[in-house]
Amino acid sequence: MIYLRVPVYVVTGFLGSGKTTLINKLLDKRPLETTRLLLVQFEAGEKDFDGNEYVCQVLSFSKKELDANPKDISKKIARCADELSIDEIWVEWNGMAVFSELQSIFLERLLRHKCKIEKVVHIADTDTLDTLLGKTGAALPEQISVADLVVLRHVSGAQVKNAVRLVNSLNRGVKIADAEESSLIIKTLAHRDLSPVSTLCLSIVYALALVWFCSRYVDFSFISLNTLVNVFLGIILQAVPFLLLGVLISSAIQIFVSSRTIERRFPKKLGLGMLTAILMGFCLPVCDCASVPIFRSLVKKGIPVPVAVTFLTAAPVINPVVMLSTYYAFNGSLRVVAVRVGLGIMAALFIGLFFSAWPSKNELLSSGGFDGAMCSCGCYTGLSEANGLKDKLRLYARHAETEFFSVGKFLLIGAFISALFQTIGTKTLFLQTTSGYALSLLLMMVLAFLLSLCSSSDAVIARSFSSVFPTGAVMGFLVFGPMMDIKNLLMLSGGFSKKFVLKLLLAVFLICYLVVIAFARPFLGV
Amino acid sequence: MVKKLNPQAVLELICLLLFSAMMFHLAFSGKYLSYVTPRMLPYLYFTSTAMLIWATFKLPMLFRPQYKLRASHCLLLIIPVILLLLPHGTVSAADVSNGLVSDVGLSQSTNSTESATSAEENPQNSANQYDDSIIEQFGLEKNADGSIAVSDELFYPWLSEIYTNKDSYDGTTITIKGFVFRDSATMAENEFVPARLLMYCCTADLAPCGIVCEYDGASSLEADSWMTVTGVIHVVEHQGEMQPIVTITSVSPAVKPNDEYVYPW
């Protein structure tokens, strides 16, 4: 028997964010005489549902029932839907319950063939979002990350920009609507999207067709595509193994070493602390994306800012994976490795001293305290729930994989730009004079900032630039790139005040520039 | 009752398996040598294995329902696989002489002051650390009559040996194979190089390297054609430095070697 599955619309949001009000408003606009509605509430709304105005059945479940017996809930919903031949189901989901529970109710067992989740809407108050995200655990970020539409209340408030940024960091490209614009919300809910998997497959087919078409009818004589492909693949093949090694080790540390242990062992005194920071940078092979969360937790635990900053800037440059990849990229040259590590340590120490000489007076941590790094992992069923070794291993694989993909896209872009440089621009950019050196160093550092490569795999790209730029300037790329780039900046601004992040960026840039221009060439012997 | 597949997990599983297979194929067949150096071999096997293990972690996800699907991240694995499958040759010497790949390698082996890369990567200097050991390390052997026949495999060791101990090769007869490379900006009318492309790290830094030859018919040789040349090494002043130069006695067409690139170890 083939029958249409009942469409399910889900509204998520924290307690008091206005879920019931939203549902009321949305249903109000529709001709409901002909539709038989079922509303499933998993939370006792503060506002009553105006069910009297139209034909509507309401089922309510408490969080306790949800935790105790989800199977029973599925059964009740199924029975109700059958008996009353329901046309549409609306779900008001509990703000403290993870979305995967809802999935297991509606997508597994009984209801899988009866229901189809059409759209998931999340509603949030811009004034409280930041604070809530910091305090309420895994459920809320997960709810935002799966939503098709995020509805924001109080869009005239002061926190709007911050809220939009938070939502975007959790769910890139999600549609965001003002709670007042009911018609827009309704339109979005009615819109049917293509599944991203089909979109991807389609776009690959289109891309291949385009390539085939271009190769026949477009003249590419100005650029050697063959060389471009070769150079790109060369860089990827050289970089991916080290990227993989980097994320495997850094994820292992994040999953298996608790941040509490690290914080407890850290000396609080300035000099000793800075030395420990550097030693730790060596012993904890985390790449730049993982050092930001550790940095944040260090600052939170009251470790002096100069010490924490030293760790943040030193760790990504001086860890063993980075040394290994640099060694291979530069043809087994220990000297380049030594200069990279030496200049990295030097710059990190200077940056630490800079922050102890000019301490930040204002509050460093931004108000909310939502750890932006946690979202990039996407492992919302976090560490606390992973108990046995098997669970931890599974979490480890997932964590490493997510990190690999999120960092890898920068590698792909970086490899492409680098390959393009190699194929077109080599002869035009020869900068070897003194003023040219200063300029090309600046250029390399800006490039490092923009490319946002992971430090475990940036050496090969730096190496490919060394035919275009002097090695001294390439050293700027190798030292500054891991310490600060767009990706790090985004992660930092998620947890720290704007003023502090700006100060850090400028300090790191200036000190790296000065250190490299003063020492790189004599140390390299060029 | 048939369980519904989770499309994202299926996609990820396929991508991981494809990438793993690609890495293994490249490493096992030796095709990776067109992109990276032999040193990367264990790392390629490692990547292939790690991807395979990740793929097995995907299996339990296959039937786990998931509302929000994501797919674009898989491009990271798909793009390299597709590019690899698209027909493309090795970087031809034509791209190099067109200036598309810089001629750092040549300037390194002929004139180190112009080199953009740091000094210790220079074949001469790195060779200095071993000095006599190059011969032992690679088992370089002269012919019975004291002449040198450079094989395809020992192109680079011979080159660095001749540049390192140039004085002891003054007057030696040499036979060497390479593609015809001429840089009209820095080379005289009667000069050319039977060159090979040298890979330091990956395709991104391919550069021609070879020994400069003097030959009256140099300008008539077709660029990038493979030649076996025979001549006598003379150490003379060339572009302000004492350098080994080969005075050609014979030139004959040759076939491209199996491994087109050379690696500096």
Side-chain angles (χ1 to χ4, degrees), chain A residues 103 145 148 227 230 331 422-423, chain B residues 67 70 89 95 100 203-204 265:
Chain A
Q103 275 181 172
S145 76
D148 299 297
T227 316
N230 267 293
N331 184 25
Q422 290 295 307
T423 323
Chain B
Y67 170 66
R70 295 176 197 277
D95 296 327
L100 288 169
T203 359
W265 50 80

Side-chain angles (χ1 to χ4, degrees), chain A residues 506-517:
Chain A
L506 288 177
V508 171
F509 190 87
L510 275 177
I511 290 170
C512 279
Y513 187 84
L514 293 175
V515 164
V516 171
I517 209 156

Side-chain angles (χ1 to χ4, degrees), chain A residues 254-267:
Chain A
Q254 267 172 302
I255 301 288
F256 297 108
V257 181
S258 79
S259 55
R260 237 168 293 143
T261 325
I262 300 172
E263 285 146 12
R264 217 180 27 232
R265 299 277 162 88
F266 227 103

Side-chain angles (χ1 to χ4, degrees), chain A residues 265-279 307:
Chain A
R265 299 277 162 88
F266 227 103
K268 304 263 190 302
K269 275 193 188 127
L270 185 66
L272 198 61
M274 276 165 73
L275 287 180
T276 317
I278 284 170
L279 196 69
V307 175

Side-chain angles (χ1 to χ4, degrees), chain A residues 358-394:
Chain A
W358 290 279
S360 297
K361 290 177 195 76
N362 305 26
E363 188 62 40
L364 297 187
L365 300 163
S366 64
S367 54
F370 170 59
D371 200 341
M374 160 190 171
C375 57
S376 72
C377 150
C379 317
Y380 298 110
T381 42
L383 262 177
S384 48
E385 286 164 44
N387 293 318
L389 185 67
K390 209 176 156 194
D391 275 357
K392 277 206 166 176
L393 274 181
R394 195 171 300 148

Side-chain angles (χ1 to χ4, degrees), chain A residues 103 107 118 120 145 147-148 196 226-227 230 232 234 238 241 324 328-329 331 333 401 422-423 426 463-464 471, chain B residues 39-40 43 47 54 58 65 67-70 73 83 88-90 95 99-100 116 118 120-121 200-201 203-204 265:
Chain A
Q103 275 181 172
L107 297 180
E118 284 293 344
V120 177
S145 76
D148 299 297
N226 191 41
T227 316
N230 267 293
F232 179 81
Q238 174 78 24
L324 195 70
Y328 279 106
N331 184 25
S333 162
E401 194 193 324
Q422 290 295 307
T423 323
T426 44
R463 176 67 181 83
S464 70
T471 316
Chain B
R39 284 189 182 184
M40 286 303 290
Y43 293 91
T47 308
W54 264 349
K58 283 281 157 227
Y67 170 66
K68 180 86 173 189
L69 300 173
R70 295 176 197 277
H73 61 282
L83 283 180
H88 63 271
T90 47
D95 296 327
L100 288 169
S118 59
E120 79 284 347
E121 290 172 39
Y200 277 110
C201 163
T203 359
W265 50 80

